[in-house]
Amino acid sequence: MKRIITLAALSAIFFIGATAKNDTQNSIVMEKLNLTAEWDKTFPQSDKVEHRKVTFPNRYGITLAADMYIPKNMHGPLPAIAVSGPFGAVKEQAAGLYAQELAENGFITLAFDPSFTGESSGQPRYMTSPDINTEDFSAAVDYLVTNPMVNPEAVGILGICGWGGIAINAAASDPRIKATVASTMYDMSRVSSNGYFDADDNADARNAQRRQLAAQRTEDFRTGTPALAGGVPETLPADAPKFLRDYHDYYKTSRGYHPRSLNSNGGRNVTSVIPWINFPLMSRAGEIENAVMIVHGEKAHSFYFGSDAYKKLTVTPGKENNKVFVVVPGASHTDLYDQKDKIPFDAIETFFREYLK
């Protein structure tokens, strides 16, 4: 007589066995991080908010470092927003600017460094992961919904550049996120697998890329030191496209340079792109029930990412206005990093005020 064991029963057997053996090890212990005490942001400190450094773990045991901005003279519990991005930046750059600005308008905000980046932990350094980076947003939500100063039913997220796409993926998996803003967003899966403007959207190009990355993995293992892809170049070629010139103007000048920023310096590990090629970042965007706003500059080279992401969103019955696409006239991609006269903070604040209450 054949014995049939269901998948659920098999999972239970393995789970019970693993628990019995490793229950004393199954806990998350935060690392003690060496956080910078002085103000080292690329923007001036506001006298309207209190600033403090905090840490919290993600589900993979990586300890994340964050700047928390708390409105002065306001009584909680308050709505809260976790902020990260751009892709390859640190919390002292655009994310902190957005966080401080929103805190001035009554939100508790948390600008955090992603795993493997900035003041956060994670080895090897300068790595990225669609799964772990999405988890970083939910870990920030963990911290906020359990904070006594925060209204746990009024927590949102804001992602800039590549972290805009990650924010949408986080919103699709975590219903605790009541409102999401993706500003000047990239779809990192799409650009990694298809190239800019989908110019390399074919199997031959992807397979050639995979062979190069596989060879780099071998070399990294042999040397024990992952090769860096390089950030924004120090000197631009004469034929550099405008968007690369815009990146240079932000990351390589006093406007946005930061010594811990990957884009300002050596860039991410070459092999960090590997999982993005196969990862369907926007595949569940249409299942997001909570509110989403996508903000993009009219002149941004990345406009197509935001436009196409918006088309994937589904309006929730009875909430016909909870999916919004805001186009900023004349704005480029990097204008929405730090140009306060172009970033539509009034619209962003109004959106969060509507859906975080």
Side-chain angles (χ1 to χ4, degrees), residues 81 98 102 107 158 181 183 293 295 326 343-354:
I81 304 162
Y98 273 74
L102 289 166
F107 300 92
L158 188 152
V181 170
S183 181
M293 170 186 279
V295 180
V326 176
I343 301 170
F345 278 120
D346 287 347
I348 293 170
E349 179 197 346
T350 298
F351 172 80
F352 278 131
R353 191 76 61 196
E354 172 67 21

Side-chain angles (χ1 to χ4, degrees), residues 39-52:
W39 184 266
D40 63 343
K41 322 303 180 196
T42 60
F43 51 91
Q45 187 170 10
S46 170
D47 60 3
K48 297 178 182 178
V49 303
E50 175 192 345
H51 165 259
R52 63 180 68 166

